[in-house]
Amino acid sequence: MTAYAPPTPARRSPVRLDTDPYLSRYADRVTGLAASEIRALFSVAERPEIVSFAGGMPDLSVMDLDAVADLTASIIRDQGTVALQYGGGQGRPQMREALVDLMAYAGVPATADELVVTVGGQQALELIAKCFIDPGDVVIAEGPTYVGAVAAMNSHQADVRHVPMDGDGMRMDLLEDTLAQLAREGRRAKYVYTIPNHQNPGGVSLSEARRVRLAELAVEHDLLVIEDDAYGLLGFDGEVATSLRTLIPDRVVYLGTMSKTFSPGVRSGWIAAPTPVREKLVLLREAADLCPSNLTQLMIERWLTTQPWQEQIKRYRALYQHKATLMLDALASEMPAEVDWTRPRGGFFVWLTVPTGIDTSALLAKAIGRRVAYVPGRGFYDDGNGGDQLRLCFSFPPTDRIREGVSRLAELLHDELGLLRSVYGDDAPELAGRRGGGAGA
Amino acid sequence: MTAYAPPTPARRSPVRLDTDPYLSRYADRVTGLAASEIRALFSVAERPEIVSFAGGMPDLSVMDLDAVADLTASIIRDQGTVALQYGGGQGRPQMREALVDLMAYAGVPATADELVVTVGGQQALELIAKCFIDPGDVVIAEGPTYVGAVAAMNSHQADVRHVPMDGDGMRMDLLEDTLAQLAREGRRAKYVYTIPNHQNPGGVSLSEARRVRLAELAVEHDLLVIEDDAYGLLGFDGEVATSLRTLIPDRVVYLGTMSKTFSPGVRSGWIAAPTPVREKLVLLREAADLCPSNLTQLMIERWLTTQPWQEQIKRYRALYQHKATLMLDALASEMPAEVDWTRPRGGFFVWLTVPTGIDTSALLAKAIGRRVAYVPGRGFYDDGNGGDQLRLCFSFPPTDRIREGVSRLAELLHDELGLLRSVYGDDAPELAGRRGGGAGA
């Protein structure tokens, strides 16, 4: 397994005046950017004796690698001078047509002309941030939200305002509070960023009623909504929710990715945007890296037009449902009563909330000492919150090690709570149960 | 052949208040960004009856596609769960080791730890611009320079100061003038961007003496130099020049790419930078698109460790030398005396300078009407210059159509000059020969 360091730990930290002779040359946006110590822990977490719930990766063991090898070899043999050449910045028309069909399968309308092919969902987030965010501009996002989105928005010096979730996703009443607060400040949000389906890291989805309400609020407050649909096709029951793009197409910039339903290694995602925005995004994309790979685009075109890709998605769904069940069962039987977690019905993640006396960032080294890894919660917020939360990924770890990993983490939390009790006694507020808080289901 | 629209035409243009309802939402950096009309012309230029000297592409007809197909299929079959999975943001250690070997072949020292794998050279330029440029910051670059570098720097609102070239590359006396001018303004350049080998679009190389002088000036004026070495291995004589990184390693951020010596379709380049800068670049890269493709990295590793890649580079060199000779011979026999051009000894490009009475942007539509295409010169400058210049690519067009294309362009220029003479007479300053001007060899 290749190193996977999630971008979580890339946080603004105290400037190291003593060590960096290039300091006076950097742009403001990167002066305080530094890798945190957590990054070093993640490389340790790759050791085979450790059960890692950290990286948010698909389980490729159910991919038909021979089929992918065959179609790729045939592309290079038959269309090699196209596959290995430069392409257009927007992406191949044939690729965009294939993606339109994939979106239709997810119930999301689009035309090929509205699409820009990107390097995974992450480049989509970067291009959107670069397109809309001036330093200090406000962006609204769920709290917690995807670490890579925080990294992209941070790198453009956004002022991120988080709106808490519950089991039905982003709370619309609290979004209204945030909008009212911004109005009082005389400011407006450049956009609202949301992952409505099987949110990363929350593991919850926006209810149908709230989708309608969000659409209403977008019209009422003249909002642009970034709809990140990385996990929409990975609902365990195979159902797809109503996309925001369906409800308010002119106000939505929609993001998709091949990383969860096919392969992250082809580094392919896309944006569907209203034409004027799409034009800007193509120009920014060309400035960023010229064009997507024709080779990986052709692989995806061939995959989506000649292979049973719906069956592959069903295989992923079934596998992840099985793994989620294993994890949720293990959590229910092993975790201390003071710990709370979400109950995902799709996607990759469970979100845990522990008593406030425990700091999940500080706890990670101990967890790795006990041969289990997770991602601490702070990276999923831009405001310092999340110290009592953590993300567990169930999609990637081997089926037969999920219970073992949960047991190790549960044992550690039992011990930590015991320590806290020995210091503060049973009634300390730090030990209060957290059920109902955070993104609780 | 897939559409290849070079990013040239992405220029700041008058804001279209009437047509874009999203205008008030954009960041300052993109408000004026719009695709120019030239972009539409390029799509016409792809028709088979047109000889296009526009896109700067390698000629993949001499690639061993079967070998690439075989090694790729074997990677997916044997290491598919790695190849198709996420990877680390800096790039695979094995990939970086292979690139160190490739750099050694070009005489450039580096360690794997100093490298960051990027999405071609373009992403390297974007990450460097994002790392160093605040809005309004000064950057020094050759004039003309690579259009993609202009696009990347523009997208971060750089103030680009161009330094003219002659047949020995960037003129050091004029660089000194620019540095003196900046000192008078109380400003300093964030970096000097140069393509010292077979420059795009100039088709000239920095002389050994000037490399030493540039290194001296960098120390004297405390400069950071971005050394873009896209074409260093494509000198027709097979010789490599002294890299700036060799001379002043702490002051150089070096860029390489697999697009010219292997394939643009794998979208792979790299940066070699001093450690503190490399650390920032990895964080920016993760915010930009998380990680490079493991699949295309494995392809390159396998290519550079199991295939006769030096022979492939020699095949490219021989082909491009042949094509360059065809183009230079045709230019010498067909072009009007008032037209000047550079004499490349490597790379992809010839740079033409025409009498000032002719506007190469306006001329492009006529050229396409005569079934020949080029890139107008203005896109290679950030200051509006280049209206009397244009770029011809000799690497991509078929060998048997180069003379035909040059003849068509020469005929058009003869006709244009005839028109000018009929209006202004023979002695008009607009018709003065331009030999010795621009990047003349």
Side-chain angles (χ1 to χ4, degrees):
Chain A
M1 186 48 229
T2 297
Y4 174 69
T8 330
R11 307 288 303 155
R12 288 170 191 278
S13 71
V15 168
R16 297 174 304 168
L17 281 163
D18 51 333
T19 58
D20 188 346
Y22 304 91
L23 196 67
S24 70
R25 301 178 188 278
Y26 297 128
D28 287 345
R29 65 179 74 85
V30 301
T31 301
L33 202 68
S36 86
E37 304 71 31
I38 287 174
R39 187 173 283 259
L41 289 178
F42 279 123
S43 61
V44 177
E46 285 169 47
R47 294 186 189 153
E49 70 269 23
I50 291 173
V51 179
S52 178
F53 299 130
M57 297 176 289
D59 184 343
L60 299 177
S61 67
V62 292
M63 273 286 291
D64 183 349
L65 295 177
D66 284 337
V68 180
D70 287 345
L71 71 85
T72 306
S74 141
I75 285 165
I76 297 174
R77 243 181 275 279
D78 305 340
Q79 299 173 267
T81 57
V82 173
L84 299 179
Q85 190 54 277
Y86 289 107
Q90 192 180 352
R92 289 168 49 84
Q94 303 92 323
M95 167 78 165
R96 289 183 277 115
E97 290 293 349
L99 293 176
V100 165
D101 292 344
L102 179 60
M103 289 175 74
Y105 184 68
V108 188
T111 66
D113 187 60
E114 294 171 308
L115 269 49
V116 190
V117 178
T118 60
V119 179
Q122 185 66 39
Q123 190 185 38
L125 294 169
E126 156 68 12
L127 294 177
I128 289 166
K130 191 170 178 183
C131 187
F132 292 108
I133 299 175
D134 284 314
D137 273 356
V138 173
V139 173
I140 297 173
E142 286 135 358
T145 189
Y146 169 51
V147 288
V150 174
M153 296 187 292
N154 261 338
S155 80
H156 292 283
Q157 299 162 276
D159 173 359
V160 182
R161 309 285 176 101
H162 291 290
V163 175
M165 294 175 284
D166 61 19
D168 286 331
M170 192 193 289
R171 281 182 53 183
M172 291 299 118
D173 56 332
L174 298 180
L175 172 60
E176 287 190 79
D177 288 352
T178 300
L179 293 169
Q181 173 61 31
L182 286 174
R184 280 191 297 274
E185 296 174 24
R187 310 181 69 186
R188 71 164 184 170
K190 277 294 180 81
Y191 54 77
V192 177
Y193 171 68
T194 177
I195 308 167
N197 300 317
H198 316 297
Q199 204 243 13
N200 175 6
V204 298
S205 293
L206 195 63
S207 69
E208 289 288 330
R210 287 198 190 163
R211 287 167 199 251
V212 172
R213 184 67 190 132
L214 178 53
E216 289 168 356
L217 287 172
V219 173
E220 191 177 322
H221 294 266
D222 191 21
L223 300 172
L224 185 68
V225 178
I226 313 300
E227 178 178 27
D228 183 347
D229 192 17
Y231 305 94
L233 286 172
L234 292 181
F236 300 148
D237 58 8
E239 286 183 21
V240 291
T242 307
S243 79
L244 298 165
R245 182 173 163 86
T246 308
L247 299 175
I248 42 169
D250 291 346
R251 296 188 170 278
V252 169
V253 176
Y254 174 96
L255 275 62
T257 176
M258 295 305 294
S259 296
K260 319 299 177 188
T261 55
F262 177 54
S263 144
V266 294
R267 306 304 304 119
S268 292
W270 69 96
I271 304 171
T275 301
V277 175
R278 192 268 294 153
E279 285 175 358
K280 301 280 189 195
L281 292 171
V282 170
L283 296 173
L284 287 177
R285 202 254 143 88
E286 290 173 353
D289 64 4
L290 223 50
C291 63
S293 163
N294 273 354
L295 174 61
T296 59
Q297 287 182 91
L298 280 158
M299 287 172 67
I300 291 164
E301 291 166 27
R302 204 73 73 105
W303 177 256
L304 291 176
T305 55
T306 71
Q307 299 294 312
W309 56 271
Q310 295 98 330
E311 295 310 309
Q312 176 59 40
I313 292 175
K314 285 175 191 161
R315 270 198 296 277
Y316 277 133
R317 270 186 202 138
L319 178 64
Y320 299 151
Q321 179 167 32
H322 177 55
K323 289 185 170 191
T325 303
L326 288 173
M327 182 173 277
L328 291 170
D329 287 352
L331 288 166
S333 67
E334 307 278 340
M335 279 289 158
E338 295 88 346
V339 176
D340 191 26
W341 57 89
T342 57
R343 274 73 175 170
R345 289 186 287 265
F348 282 12
F349 305 108
V350 170
W351 184 245
L352 248 78
T353 304
V354 300
T356 49
I358 295 172
D359 182 303
T360 57
S361 301
L363 194 70
L364 181 59
K366 286 188 192 177
I368 287 172
R370 305 234 187 158
R371 294 170 296 138
V372 60
Y374 58 83
V375 183
R378 280 202 188 84
F380 302 93
Y381 294 86
D382 194 45
D383 59 7
N385 275 319
D388 57 348
Q389 299 184 306
L390 61 89
R391 190 188 78 176
L392 299 179
C393 167
F394 57 77
S395 58
F396 185 70
T399 307
D400 59 3
R401 301 196 68 192
I402 289 175
R403 175 166 282 269
E404 185 185 353
V406 170
S407 295
R408 291 172 184 174
L409 183 60
E411 194 175 289
L412 173 61
L413 289 169
H414 277 293
D415 290 354
E416 291 294 304
L417 289 167
L419 270 175
L420 283 177
R421 270 191 209 96
S422 73
V423 176
Y424 298 108
D426 268 344
D427 299 328
E430 287 80 1
L431 297 177
R434 302 277 301 183
R435 294 183 197 277
Chain B
M1 185 51 230
T2 298
Y4 174 69
T8 328
R11 309 287 305 152
R12 285 167 194 282
S13 72
V15 167
R16 297 174 302 168
L17 281 162
D18 51 332
T19 58
D20 188 347
Y22 303 91
L23 196 67
S24 70
R25 300 178 189 276
Y26 296 129
D28 287 344
R29 67 179 72 86
V30 300
T31 303
L33 201 68
S36 87
E37 303 72 28
I38 288 176
R39 188 172 283 259
L41 288 178
F42 280 122
S43 60
V44 177
E46 285 168 48
R47 291 185 193 156
E49 69 272 21
I50 291 173
V51 179
S52 178
F53 299 129
M57 296 177 288
D59 184 343
L60 299 177
S61 67
V62 292
M63 273 287 291
D64 184 349
L65 295 177
D66 284 338
V68 180
D70 288 345
L71 71 84
T72 307
S74 140
I75 287 164
I76 297 173
R77 243 181 275 279
D78 305 339
Q79 299 174 265
T81 56
V82 173
L84 299 179
Q85 189 55 275
Y86 289 107
Q90 190 180 353
R92 288 169 49 84
Q94 303 92 323
M95 166 80 164
R96 289 183 277 117
E97 290 291 351
L99 293 175
V100 165
D101 292 343
L102 178 60
M103 289 175 76
Y105 183 68
V108 188
T111 65
D113 186 60
E114 294 171 308
L115 268 50
V116 189
V117 178
T118 60
V119 179
Q122 186 65 39
Q123 189 185 37
L125 294 168
E126 156 68 12
L127 295 178
I128 289 165
K130 191 170 178 184
C131 187
F132 292 108
I133 300 175
D134 284 313
D137 273 356
V138 173
V139 173
I140 297 174
E142 285 135 0
T145 190
Y146 169 51
V147 288
V150 174
M153 296 187 292
N154 262 338
S155 80
H156 291 284
Q157 299 162 279
D159 173 358
V160 182
R161 308 287 175 99
H162 291 290
V163 176
M165 293 175 285
D166 60 19
D168 286 330
M170 191 193 289
R171 281 182 52 183
M172 289 300 117
D173 57 331
L174 299 180
L175 173 59
E176 287 189 78
D177 289 353
T178 300
L179 293 168
Q181 174 61 32
L182 287 173
R184 280 192 297 274
E185 296 174 25
R187 308 181 70 186
R188 70 164 185 170
K190 278 294 182 78
Y191 54 77
V192 178
Y193 170 69
T194 178
I195 309 168
N197 300 317
H198 317 296
Q199 204 243 14
N200 174 6
V204 297
S205 293
L206 196 61
S207 69
E208 289 288 330
R210 286 197 191 163
R211 286 166 201 251
V212 172
R213 184 67 191 132
L214 178 52
E216 288 168 357
L217 287 172
V219 173
E220 193 178 319
H221 293 266
D222 192 20
L223 300 172
L224 186 69
V225 178
I226 313 300
E227 179 178 26
D228 184 346
D229 192 17
Y231 305 94
L233 286 172
L234 292 181
F236 300 148
D237 58 7
E239 286 183 21
V240 291
T242 307
S243 78
L244 299 165
R245 181 173 164 86
T246 309
L247 300 174
I248 41 169
D250 291 346
R251 295 187 171 280
V252 168
V253 175
Y254 174 96
L255 274 62
T257 176
M258 296 304 295
S259 296
K260 320 299 176 187
T261 54
F262 178 53
S263 144
V266 294
R267 305 304 306 118
S268 292
W270 70 95
I271 304 172
T275 302
V277 176
R278 192 268 294 153
E279 286 175 358
K280 300 280 189 196
L281 292 171
V282 170
L283 296 173
L284 286 176
R285 199 254 144 88
E286 291 173 355
D289 64 5
L290 221 53
C291 62
S293 162
N294 273 354
L295 173 62
T296 60
Q297 287 184 91
L298 280 158
M299 288 172 66
I300 290 164
E301 291 166 27
R302 203 79 65 111
W303 177 255
L304 291 177
T305 54
T306 71
Q307 300 293 313
W309 56 270
Q310 294 100 330
E311 295 310 308
Q312 175 59 42
I313 292 175
K314 286 175 191 162
R315 270 198 297 276
Y316 276 133
R317 271 186 202 138
L319 178 63
Y320 299 151
Q321 179 167 31
H322 178 54
K323 289 186 170 189
T325 302
L326 288 173
M327 180 171 279
L328 291 169
D329 288 352
L331 288 165
S333 67
E334 307 278 341
M335 277 291 158
E338 295 88 346
V339 176
D340 190 27
W341 57 91
T342 56
R343 275 72 176 172
R345 291 188 286 266
F348 283 11
F349 305 108
V350 171
W351 183 246
L352 249 77
T353 304
V354 301
T356 49
I358 295 171
D359 183 304
T360 57
S361 301
L363 194 69
L364 180 60
K366 287 189 192 177
I368 287 172
R370 304 235 188 159
R371 295 169 296 137
V372 60
Y374 58 82
V375 183
R378 279 202 188 85
F380 301 93
Y381 293 86
D382 193 44
D383 58 8
N385 276 317
D388 57 348
Q389 300 182 306
L390 61 88
R391 191 188 76 176
L392 299 180
C393 167
F394 56 78
S395 59
F396 186 70
T399 306
D400 59 4
R401 301 197 68 191
I402 289 176
R403 175 166 283 270
E404 184 185 355
V406 170
S407 295
R408 291 172 184 173
L409 183 60
E411 194 176 287
L412 174 61
L413 288 169
H414 277 292
D415 290 354
E416 290 294 305
L417 287 167
L419 270 174
L420 282 177
R421 272 192 208 96
S422 73
V423 176
Y424 298 108
D426 266 343
D427 299 326
E430 287 80 0
L431 296 177
R434 303 276 302 180
R435 294 185 197 276

